[in-house]
Amino acid sequence: MTANSSTSRELQILKFLEKQSRRELSSNYVVQLLDAFTHKGPNGVHQCLVFELLGPSVDKVLSDYHETHDKLDPETVLRISTQLLKAAKFIHSAGICHGDISGRNIAFSCTHLSKQTEEQLFDILGFPEIEPLKRVDGTPLGNELPAQLIKAAEWTEWIDEDDEDIRLLDFGESFYQGQEPQRLAQPGSLRVPETIFTDCFDYRVDLWRTGCMIMELRSLNRSLRLRYPIQHSNLYFM
């Protein structure tokens, strides 16, 4: 994350939520911030946030289930839904709106994996795939480019979604209630109705997005997002 100041909005909101929580943020199913620092590089100053160890996103797990034509256990769906609602209730009671609740911004905790050896860790994550970065014209790389690219972990052997809790993360679109931004970045298939039919919105955008997430958990049918399109609006009812 690139920041013009030493403290990003996301960091400010996470620290604010920490003050509002009687216990650690993770007890409210919000990702636990461990540390923060800035890094100066050829592309500017970057705000770096250090979080607790997390497993795959809910989107990743749902995608795997969808590919195998399987479904989450009803008890798991109920537990994830309950924890997500509790996380939303906590941040709303603190006067914050997340602004981008979706499966990609919800991940599973990783208590089991944190106790594994490095070899066992790679068995679950898959070994890192590294490729050197080269320009198509063969000229040397500039200082602004990395020397190599590393493929993201695929969590090939992850099986702990029935046991682990969830964490709500990525507060990059979050805002204080009463200080709503003029625009809200959101996927077209998950757009909140009031951002289409009116010129204003508030923290209740989280309720729509939470409802969409619970519906997807329950049905495990991602095509529901595209079932009833309203022309020219990018809004999809489920």
Side-chain angles (χ1 to χ4, degrees), residues 7-210:
T7 305
S8 69
R9 179 177 61 177
E10 182 173 15
L11 179 56
Q12 290 176 343
I13 286 180
L14 286 169
K15 286 187 172 181
F16 176 78
L17 288 174
E18 278 189 326
K19 293 180 180 178
Q20 304 302 310
S21 178
R22 295 181 180 179
R23 296 176 291 172
E24 292 185 341
L25 280 178
S26 57
S27 66
N28 294 296
Y29 308 108
V30 174
V31 65
Q32 184 65 47
L33 178 69
L34 301 179
D35 196 7
F37 60 92
T38 55
H39 171 72
K40 292 183 179 180
N43 294 314
V45 179
H46 301 268
Q47 178 74 66
C48 302
L49 307 180
V50 183
F51 297 106
E52 62 179 306
L53 179 64
L54 294 176
S57 69
V58 169
D59 250 9
K60 165 63 178 172
V61 172
L62 291 183
S63 178
D64 289 345
Y65 272 86
H66 185 71
E67 289 179 2
T68 59
H69 304 287
D70 201 356
K71 288 189 176 182
L72 287 169
D73 184 86
E75 292 184 359
T76 302
V77 173
L78 178 60
R79 179 171 51 81
I80 295 173
S81 301
T82 300
Q83 292 178 1
L84 178 57
L85 287 167
K86 287 182 177 180
K89 180 181 179 180
F90 164 68
I91 63 175
H92 291 169
S93 66
I96 299 294
C97 174
H98 184 278
D100 193 18
I101 293 178
S102 67
R104 66 184 180 184
N105 291 333
I106 305 167
F108 289 95
S109 58
C110 214
T111 54
H112 293 177
L113 192 57
S114 62
K115 303 174 184 177
Q116 304 300 312
T117 65
E118 182 176 303
E119 183 177 347
Q120 292 171 323
L121 179 67
F122 285 136
D123 285 342
I124 296 173
L125 292 177
F127 282 90
E129 296 184 27
I130 302 174
E131 290 288 342
L133 184 63
K134 298 180 180 179
R135 294 178 61 99
V136 293
D137 58 9
T139 57
L141 298 175
N143 292 332
E144 74 281 2
L145 296 174
Q148 58 189 18
L149 300 177
I150 303 176
K151 187 177 180 180
E154 294 187 346
W155 299 94
T156 53
E157 299 298 327
W158 171 268
I159 57 172
D160 293 331
E161 60 270 10
D162 292 341
D163 302 316
E164 297 284 359
D165 291 331
I166 64 162
R167 297 288 187 268
L168 183 61
L169 59 143
D170 193 350
F171 283 75
E173 289 293 324
S174 300
F175 55 86
Y176 294 94
Q177 294 178 27
Q179 300 180 23
E180 290 77 11
Q182 291 185 345
R183 293 185 178 183
L184 191 65
Q186 51 185 333
S189 59
L190 293 176
R191 286 186 67 186
V192 181
E194 50 264 45
T195 64
I196 298 172
F197 299 118
T198 70
D199 294 328
C200 61
F201 60 90
D202 58 22
Y203 73 95
R204 287 172 290 187
V205 299
D206 284 349
L207 303 183
W208 169 270
R209 296 289 292 273
T210 297

